[in-house]
Amino acid sequence: MRLGRCKTQKDFLRDNDFLNRFRFSDLIGLMYGGRKRRTYCFVNRILFGYFCLRKKFLVCGFVMILEGRVITQLLQDAVYAALSASRKVRNIYDSGDFGVNLKSDSTPLTKADKISDEEIREQLFHTHIPLISEEGRTVHYDERANWRLFWLVDPIDGTKEFIKELGEFTVNIALIEDRLPSIGVICLPSTETLYFAARAIGSYKIESGVLSNFTKYEDCSFEKLQRQAVRLPLPSEADRRYTIVS
């Protein structure tokens, strides 16, 4: 179902036939909007609860179990954010100008960490999903205790290896839903390798030399990624157990 922008809350309440035909994915799409449009329709809590009671969905507030096209759309957002941040990290890595400082816990922080964090936040801002980042402000438990859906980000995992120019560092983005990962994206800027996975979709890998084809947001749709990716585990490693952690 494609929703028009002219629909108001009064229209929804008055149009009983529309309510009967309203699907779960349509509700997510209504709240989520879209990257291109950047215009968001928000359903108030009363109307939202009315939909949920009619459709018998397990929800809490504005958070619900994600499914189908919403997962693939959020995966597209996460992949594009990771690739965009990775390119900026790679530019800094190649320049050799790391701008190293120490954090309060004496662990290193580079200019690349900050730029990667800023880029990911900018690219995921339109999703209106809370974000926790290793390089962001501390989100206290009282604030995040009731978050059932949020982005979990490590702008650069392996800062020490980055500084030593070993090439062993990654950009990590995960979408956590009810304390479990629904989406995971890992990008290796030094080798231009991408790993991505989502619930009910599976895990995939895109080798170096191919990521240059994914420079625009439209290029990062699951359908286009899948054409260039290999499904994990690889045939040669089918009997080997391993876990990709984001």
Side-chain angles (χ1 to χ4, degrees), residues 5-19 30 41-44 46-48 50-51:
R5 294 177 61 183
C6 62
K7 284 282 184 183
T8 65
Q9 292 180 7
K10 290 183 179 179
D11 292 331
F12 289 136
L13 290 172
R14 186 173 58 246
D15 190 352
N16 292 325
D17 183 56
F18 175 81
L19 287 174
L30 179 68
C41 303
F42 291 93
V43 184
N44 65 34
I46 296 175
L47 184 60
F48 176 68
Y50 180 68
F51 287 144

Side-chain angles (χ1 to χ4, degrees), residues 190-226:
S190 61
T191 61
E192 295 187 347
T193 304
L194 176 71
Y195 296 90
F196 63 94
R199 191 185 65 237
I201 290 176
S203 304
Y204 296 84
K205 176 183 179 181
I206 296 182
E207 298 282 3
S208 59
V210 180
L211 290 186
S212 58
N213 298 330
F214 303 98
T215 57
K216 299 179 181 178
Y217 177 76
E218 294 76 12
D219 299 332
C220 298
S221 67
F222 174 67
E223 292 76 15
K224 292 183 179 180
L225 290 169
Q226 192 178 28

Side-chain angles (χ1 to χ4, degrees), residues 23 27 52 124 159 165 198 215 245:
R23 297 194 305 269
L27 178 58
C52 295
L124 296 180
T159 301
E165 299 185 60
T215 57
V245 179

Side-chain angles (χ1 to χ4, degrees), residues 18-33:
F18 175 81
L19 287 174
N20 290 329
R21 292 182 288 106
F22 200 84
R23 297 194 305 269
F24 183 59
S25 58
D26 295 323
L27 178 58
I28 295 280
L30 179 68
M31 295 178 64
Y32 177 70

Side-chain angles (χ1 to χ4, degrees), residues 28-82:
I28 295 280
L30 179 68
M31 295 178 64
Y32 177 70
R35 182 187 181 88
K36 278 290 189 182
R37 201 169 60 181
R38 290 186 181 271
T39 301
Y40 303 93
C41 303
F42 291 93
V43 184
N44 65 34
R45 289 182 182 272
I46 296 175
L47 184 60
F48 176 68
Y50 180 68
F51 287 144
C52 295
L53 286 174
R54 288 183 66 98
K55 294 301 182 180
K56 298 182 177 62
F57 293 121
L58 178 63
V59 299
C60 178
F62 278 101
V63 180
M64 60 225 77
I65 306 304
L66 301 178
E67 65 173 27
R69 73 180 175 86
V70 181
I71 283 288
T72 58
Q73 191 168 12
L74 290 171
L75 176 62
Q76 183 175 359
D77 291 325
V79 168
Y80 182 73

Side-chain angles (χ1 to χ4, degrees), residues 25 63 69 82-83 129 151 174 181 189 244:
S25 58
V63 180
R69 73 180 175 86
L83 290 178
I129 296 174
W151 295 108
I244 297 174

